[in-house]
Each structure stands twice: as structure tokens, then as C-alpha cells.
Amino acid sequence: MKTYPVTKNQDLTVDIIDLTHEGMGIAKVEGYPLFIENALPGETVEVHVLKVGNKFGFAKVKNFIKKSAHRVENADEKLIRTGIAPLAHLSYDQQLIFKQEQVANVMKKVAKMPEVPVLPTIGMTDPTGYRNKAQIPVRRVENQLQTGFYRKNSHDLVPIEHFYIQDPAIDTAIIQIRDILRRFHVKPYNEETNEGFLRHLIIRKGHYTGEMMVVFVTRKEKFFQVDQILAQITQALPNVVTIVQNINEDKTNVILGKQEKVLFGPGYINDQLLGKTYHISAKSFYQVNTLQAEKLYQTAYDFAQLSPEDIIIDAYSGIGTIGLSVADKVKQVYGMEVVEEAVQDAIANAKLNGFTNTTYVAGSAEKVMAQWAKEGIQPDVIFVDPPRKGLTPSFIEASCQMNPQKIVYISCSPATMARDLVHFAALGYQAQQVQPVDLFPMTNHVECVVWMSRKDK
Ligand code: SAH
């Protein structure tokens, strides 16, 4: 049997040398890594070993012997434990450095482009209370309907009232809705048995408009006493302009089901971004940090240097925010997006802002891009903003085939972005600069923008 330098339940003292990308402290015992929650580089900690795996183990802090100068005292441990704010114990300026280093690291190790500058992370003046959306599981805890968040790597609900990184008006709304649901004896969902009614509560709030949307994700369609419940919610929360029921009967981790019913209002909220107005429906993606999304997009436009004769493509367009923010500064905008409702929003949003120079297509980015390349569309700038898994080789090939002057890549996953930059470079598009923007303060998520130009230019 293989032996390890530590054993389960052992207590020992270690020095923390680094942070994992998830924000856990790393200590090494004779070369064997131990991952420790709520421990920072530079700290000396007495730990208790929880788990010993093949390549690494986990331990928890028992006692701090030496603390880091960058530690934020009194960070709520629940926020770290649930993963809501896994960096809440690290000072904000260090969080920004941590994120810049992560991007620089993948640019070096994955993209093998150490020469491409990675600029200092653009942060927030107030890095709390920024989320405009909450997605909260509803479960029974100690015989009561509870709202909160799962303990990391588990499905145990930890009741939480103050989410810290969420708009405080959303925290208040969750508590008020929870209390109304309790009064009406609404049954929380039970994951193990796939019984009960209410699975998740989703709340969205327009950052500039204050308009709120409430989404009940339920297991069944039949919603007992729905009229009385809606009446109480709209009375208690006058900013709620729409309430939607999403039905998900499956035993699954996926939050939203296919079927949707608008219970109250128009089924969408309005918000503004960079001075344009947007409809946002329940199923549409919308950046959760409005102020930072504005900085992110502004960085992308600064990199693109658009001119009035430009044709642009907004790939993975969601409700159209990236293209529509500059539709009055360019000749033509093309966008594509796989979620049908989001495409409908983008079309409505173009109209709402008075644009007639936009085309939105529903479909997978890979297919639509190949089609557009075949049709001979010649964009000057292509903006891409894919989900975490990044781009596919066929999408990258179609983009380069269109021969744009610039490609601006917005990424929520630096590792897949770095992988894709290698492919772009092989096809003649070289990364020039990377700008991390902190869209998710207090969490380990890193967002960045990189621009590429043709090598012959
Ligand atoms: N640019 C938008 C949305 C970015 S999020 C904004 O800034 O708000 C990424 C978007 O890609 C989501 O709307 C998601 O629905 C969409 N998407 C995911 N996979 C896709 C695919 N294969 N093809 C097209 N769109 C996809």
C-alpha cells in the first residue's frame, strides 16, 4: 500500500505557500500538497487533516499561528464554506493581483505567450453588493422552508440571509418572499426523493431601473393559492414588475426546465447598460455585475477601435448587449446566440433602441459562423463572448476565414481562452494585450478581454 507523508485526522503545523485557483491555501508536506480552506499565503497554521487522496489531501484550520497582513478579519465563514465568496478573507487589492497572476500564468503555461502583456485587473470601488441576480435553492431545514446556499461540494443547504455580494434589495426580497411562502405552507423540494414543489427562487433586479423579476422554479405546474401568494409579493415588493413560473419535473442538477409560464407582468424586466435599454427575460443570460460589465465592454471597444464603416459580429450575443451598445457607431451588426428567448430579446432590444442595422440569428455559434463565412460576410471586427468551455476549432477556423482586422475575445475562463489563442495564432491572429476585469469580486472567477490582430498588419 502506498504511504503518504500525512494521515487522516493528523494534526500538524504548516506554512501556506500559495492559493489554488479556487482560493484554497496550499501547503506542502514533503512535497505532498494539502489544500486548506480559509488559509492565505504567508500564514502558518495548525491544521487537522480531513482527507488523504492519491495526489493531494484536504485539511482544515484549527488555529492560526501567524496571520497574513492581507487577511480580512471577521469575514463570514459561511460565505467561504458555501463558495458564495471564497475570497472574502483576502484583501481586495490582493484579490485583483491574484486574478492578474492567474491570467498571466495561463498566458505563459497554456498559450505559451509570455510576451503578451496582461494588464492590472480593473476592480470595483465597492466590491460588495454587486450581483443583480440571485439563484437560490429552496429546501426544508429543521422542518421549515429555507433559502440559502449549498455547502461546497454538497447539497446540504446552509440557511443564509445576507449574501454579501448580492444587491441588498435582493437579499431583502428573498427574506420577504420566504416568509410569504412559509405562511402559505408552500412545500420545498426534496432532492433525494424528487418530491415537494419549490426547487429554486431566482430574482433579478435592473441595476439602473430597480425593476425586479421573480422566478419560481417548481417541480409541478399546479401552484396552490398562487393568486394570494402573488398578491402578497407584489404588495410587499412594489418593484416586482414580473413573476414567472418555470417548471422542471426532472431529477437533475440543472436549475431551469423547458416549460415556462408568466404569472404576472410582461415576463421580462428592463435595464440599462452603457446608456441603451434592454429587455431581459427569465431564460436570457445577462451579466450579473452591471457596473463592471460596462467597464468590460468599454475595454473591448477601446481594443477594437471601431469606425463608422465597420461591420461587426457579436458572437454568443445573449440579449445583444455587446453589439447594441455600439450599433450607432458602426455600419452593421450581426449577432448569433443559441437560446431562442435571448435572440427574441436581442431583436426586441434593437427595436427598442431604434436600430435597423442589426441581424440576429438563433443557432449554435459554430454553425452560424460557418454559414456566414460561406455567404461571404466580411466583418471588420469579430467580438466573441463564449461560455466557460470556450470556442470550438470549427468556429475559430470560420472566424479567421472571414479575414477580420481584429478579433476581440471576452472570456470567463482564462484557461480555455489561452487554449483558443494558440489556435488563432496558428491561423494568423496574434494576441496583443489581455485586460482582466473583476466581474465577480470576492469569488475566484476571472473575466478578461484579449484582442488579436492579423499578423501581417
Ligand atoms: N454577450 C452576452 C452573453 C454572453 S454569455 C453578454 O455579454 O451578455 C454566453 C452566451 O452564449 C449565452 O447567452 C449562451 O446562451 C450562449 N451560448 C452558449 N453556447 C452557445 C453556442 N454553442 N452557440 C451560440 N451561443 C451559445
Side-chain angles (χ1 to χ4, degrees):
M1 209 173 99
K2 202 172 164 192
T3 56
Y4 301 99
V6 296
T7 51
K8 192 175 167 172
N9 292 329
Q10 182 186 351
D11 292 334
L12 69 163
T13 299
V14 295
D15 293 324
I16 309 298
I17 54 168
D18 207 349
L19 277 182
T20 67
H21 74 98
E22 277 146 0
M24 291 180 106
I26 307 174
K28 286 205 172 156
V29 184
E30 293 166 34
Y32 178 84
L34 274 180
F35 298 143
I36 303 148
E37 207 170 81
N38 190 19
L40 296 173
E43 296 190 319
T44 305
V45 202
E46 254 186 83
V47 299
H48 180 78
V49 178
L50 298 168
K51 198 172 161 187
V52 180
N54 225 340
K55 298 213 167 99
F56 51 83
F58 291 92
K60 69 170 181 186
V61 174
K62 279 187 72 186
N63 192 21
F64 290 101
I65 291 169
K66 186 178 139 224
K67 283 192 178 177
S68 163
H70 304 304
R71 172 169 288 280
V72 173
E73 293 290 351
N74 307 323
D76 183 349
E77 261 205 66
K78 267 204 237 173
L79 298 169
I80 299 169
R81 227 183 305 140
T82 53
I84 290 174
L87 298 181
H89 59 308
L90 179 62
S91 67
Y92 189 55
D93 58 331
Q94 291 296 311
Q95 292 182 25
L96 297 177
I97 293 170
F98 171 66
K99 292 184 183 188
Q100 182 188 10
E101 280 172 356
Q102 293 221 9
V103 179
N105 212 15
V106 294
M107 287 305 290
K108 223 180 283 159
K109 292 194 177 145
V110 183
K112 309 255 179 344
M113 299 176 185
E115 71 289 354
V116 178
V118 177
L119 306 171
T121 313
I122 299 177
M124 293 188 87
T125 318
D126 174 5
T128 65
Y130 60 83
R131 279 187 68 99
N132 60 27
K133 179 183 177 186
Q135 198 155 267
I136 304 296
V138 180
R139 297 288 177 270
R140 189 182 297 283
V141 180
E142 288 172 359
N143 220 18
Q144 220 179 11
L145 181 147
Q146 279 288 8
T147 46
F149 219 72
Y150 299 129
R151 200 183 304 282
K152 242 191 272 173
N153 306 318
S154 88
H155 274 206
D156 300 336
L157 188 95
V158 180
I160 291 176
E161 293 197 337
H162 302 293
F163 287 79
Y164 184 51
I165 59 170
Q166 201 157 279
D167 188 322
I170 296 183
D171 286 356
T172 308
I174 293 169
I175 295 168
Q176 285 186 303
I177 293 171
R178 177 200 69 190
D179 291 348
I180 293 168
L181 297 171
R182 281 180 183 167
R183 282 206 292 281
F184 284 91
H185 305 288
V186 170
K187 288 202 175 68
Y189 181 62
N190 180 327
E191 245 176 333
E192 274 161 28
T193 59
N194 195 31
E195 286 170 345
F197 178 68
L198 186 57
R199 301 170 73 121
H200 274 82
L201 183 61
I202 301 172
I203 297 188
R204 258 184 173 159
K205 176 175 171 251
H207 176 84
Y208 289 108
T209 59
E211 291 184 6
M212 276 195 187
M213 166 188 286
V214 177
V215 183
F216 291 112
V217 184
T218 65
R219 191 177 64 87
K220 288 281 175 213
E221 185 173 349
K222 177 85 188 137
F223 197 157
F224 289 103
Q225 295 181 291
V226 65
D227 292 340
Q228 293 94 313
I229 291 173
L230 298 190
Q232 293 214 358
I233 290 174
T234 49
Q235 196 190 1
L237 298 160
N239 285 352
V240 172
V241 298
T242 194
I243 303 179
V244 175
Q245 181 182 4
N246 177 285
I247 300 143
N248 185 356
E249 300 203 5
D250 300 341
K251 194 167 166 42
T252 168
N253 279 340
V254 178
I255 295 178
L256 289 178
K258 285 208 172 72
Q259 203 190 335
E260 210 166 81
K261 249 169 106 173
V262 176
L263 302 176
F264 169 75
Y268 59 80
I269 56 165
N270 295 290
D271 197 16
Q272 269 118 36
L273 198 89
L274 292 172
K276 305 288 190 300
T277 303
Y278 293 97
H279 281 183
I280 309 156
S281 359
K283 281 193 182 158
S284 298
F285 175 91
Y286 184 61
Q287 291 287 5
V288 298
N289 185 336
T290 311
L291 285 175
Q292 290 300 90
E294 292 183 322
K295 290 186 200 161
L296 178 75
Y297 295 166
Q298 194 53 58
T299 305
Y301 308 136
D302 291 346
F303 283 160
Q305 296 283 313
L306 298 169
S307 57
E309 286 311 303
D310 282 350
I311 294 171
I312 65 170
I313 289 180
D314 173 2
Y316 301 86
S317 53
I319 64 167
T321 43
I322 291 179
L324 292 175
S325 296
V326 288
D328 45 4
K329 297 195 177 74
V330 298
K331 190 166 150 206
Q332 181 72 30
V333 178
Y334 291 91
M336 99 284 276
E337 157 66 48
V338 77
V339 173
E340 183 75 43
E341 286 85 348
V343 177
Q344 294 309 324
D345 280 347
I347 293 169
N349 289 330
K351 218 187 223 167
L352 197 62
N353 292 286
F355 297 130
T356 51
N357 59 341
T358 60
T359 307
Y360 288 96
V361 175
S364 86
E366 303 71 43
K367 280 204 188 123
V368 176
M369 207 63 168
Q371 180 62 32
W372 284 349
K374 233 200 271 165
E375 287 170 17
I377 291 176
Q378 291 184 319
D380 300 282
V381 179
I382 298 175
F383 292 95
V384 302
D385 186 11
R388 294 183 69 79
K389 64 175 187 271
L391 303 171
T392 61
S394 68
F395 179 94
I396 296 174
E397 283 150 22
S399 303
C400 297
Q401 204 187 322
M402 289 174 163
N403 204 26
Q405 280 172 30
K406 282 182 184 170
I407 299 172
V408 180
Y409 190 148
I410 298 175
S411 165
C412 53
S413 167
T416 58
M417 175 195 79
R419 174 202 69 198
D420 293 343
L421 292 181
V422 177
H423 194 172
F424 276 116
L427 297 176
Y429 283 85
Q430 181 55 48
Q432 303 295 332
Q433 259 179 326
V434 193
Q435 175 65 69
V437 181
D438 195 17
L439 261 76
F440 310 99
M442 309 294 153
T443 81
N444 54 315
H445 295 288
V446 184
E447 185 94 15
C448 53
V449 195
V450 54
W451 67 283
M452 293 165 259
S453 62
R454 269 200 312 255
K455 280 180 180 167
D456 53 26
K457 288 272 152 167

